[in-house]
Amino acid sequence: MKIARVVFSTNRPEYLRPTLEAARRLEWGNLHHHNILIDDMPRGRDDKAIRRLAGEFGFEDVLLHSENMGIGRTWQETFDRLRDDDYVLHHEDDVVLLRPVSVPRLVRVLYDNPAASQVVLKRQPWYPHERDAEALPDDIVDHEFRGEYGAAARFFTPIFSLYPIRHARRDYRQWWRTNYPRHPEAHNAFVNEALIGQCLFEGEGLRSLHLKHHDGSHLIEHIGAYTIGRKLNPGEPGWANWSGLDPTQKYWSGTNVPITRPFVPPT
């Protein structure tokens, strides 16, 4: 069994290093895996430093974009590259794994829950409407994990997740053209959390299964206080919500308020 571990980054080494340090808690067992890092923020990036950092943590494949392509184009590029793997372990550059996690066990949980499009490690509350992770009576219990199909179950998220390679091989644009002929803005849109999630839910009844520790606590900590870079491209669904943002500007994550004072990296 082969797994592609993919990390999306936007030139935030102050987040990337602790993320990769903590990801050493991943237990791979006998699974074969290879590591891919894709950085999508060329502005101000020290390419040599990023390559050294990636090499320090065993990344054999490092892609440094010469232009800020955005999440969707980067994700589509990733899907187009992955063909010989069985699963994708996907995470972002600003999430810290809080405890050891067995990747073979994640594969098993996904296999045992055919209604799951992916398994996602649950994070702490980040937005005002979110609640703390807890053990719920209707959780799916699987050894050291508890799983829930919560409010975010119809989104397909790369924050820290495992999914089968077949989801990377699907033609999402064709699905949208066939099923939503009156929504041309989605026909040529690059993949994103909402579009993939809607396709897999409506097409196959699949949802994201969010995993907690067996005591109900979250498994990852989101540390990305600021965000930078393009989110969507012109003409894509939701573009109006992001068109006023400067992709070269740092914004407070979750609020999209520009950072107008010097940024202090986390310690």
Side-chain angles (χ1 to χ4, degrees), residues 230 232-235 238-247 251:
R230 187 183 302 278
L232 296 173
N233 289 281
W239 164 249
N241 297 327
W242 300 94
S243 59
L245 301 185
D246 179 356
Y251 294 87

Side-chain angles (χ1 to χ4, degrees), residues 24-44:
R24 284 175 163 158
R25 294 180 173 133
L26 288 169
E27 299 171 349
W28 292 95
N30 294 322
L31 297 179
H32 173 76
H33 71 282
H34 61 105
N35 300 300
I36 304 171
L37 173 70
I38 304 177
D39 190 276
D40 188 43
M41 179 46 66
R43 187 173 185 267

Side-chain angles (χ1 to χ4, degrees), residues 1-184:
M1 184 180 296
K2 297 173 62 177
I3 297 183
R5 176 192 174 197
V6 178
V7 178
F8 282 176
S9 179
T10 53
N11 189 24
R12 300 185 297 176
E14 67 270 39
Y15 296 148
L16 181 59
R17 174 170 288 279
T19 292
L20 299 183
E21 287 277 9
R24 284 175 163 158
R25 294 180 173 133
L26 288 169
E27 299 171 349
W28 292 95
N30 294 322
L31 297 179
H32 173 76
H33 71 282
H34 61 105
N35 300 300
I36 304 171
L37 173 70
I38 304 177
D39 190 276
D40 188 43
M41 179 46 66
R43 187 173 185 267
R45 185 178 63 209
D46 184 335
D47 290 4
K48 291 182 179 179
I50 292 294
R51 289 188 184 278
R52 282 197 304 269
L53 178 59
E56 180 181 341
F57 290 93
F59 281 78
E60 307 94 344
D61 200 354
V62 180
L63 284 72
L64 304 179
H65 288 169
S66 58
E67 64 170 308
N68 179 208
M69 294 168 49
I71 298 172
R73 286 178 65 190
T74 300
W75 211 341
Q76 187 64 62
E77 174 191 40
T78 303
F79 280 179
D80 292 341
R81 290 175 59 88
L82 302 178
R83 284 294 176 267
D84 298 326
D85 300 285
D86 300 296
Y87 292 92
V88 182
L89 180 74
H90 201 156
H91 68 87
E92 299 172 0
D93 64 346
D94 60 351
V95 284
V96 170
L97 187 62
L98 297 177
R99 62 181 76 239
V101 168
S102 165
V103 180
R105 175 52 57 182
L106 293 180
V107 172
R108 187 67 197 184
V109 172
L110 191 57
Y111 179 82
D112 288 343
N113 293 275
S117 59
Q118 58 175 176
V119 288
V120 184
L121 303 191
K122 193 169 180 64
R123 57 166 169 73
Q124 84 278 27
W126 191 256
Y127 301 103
H129 66 277
E130 295 178 335
R131 57 174 173 79
D132 287 324
E134 61 180 333
L136 300 173
D138 58 348
D139 280 344
I140 297 168
V141 181
D142 189 299
H143 293 77
E144 68 264 38
F145 298 121
R146 304 180 69 93
E148 65 173 80
Y149 293 108
R154 295 195 187 186
F155 289 89
F156 191 85
T157 173
I159 189 168
F160 211 124
S161 62
L162 179 85
Y163 50 89
I165 194 65
R166 67 186 182 89
H167 294 334
R169 293 173 176 162
R170 184 157 191 161
D171 189 339
Y172 293 96
R173 289 179 171 180
Q174 182 58 53
W175 185 87
W176 276 91
R177 285 192 291 268
T178 300
N179 292 275
Y180 288 89
R182 296 184 180 180
H183 293 77

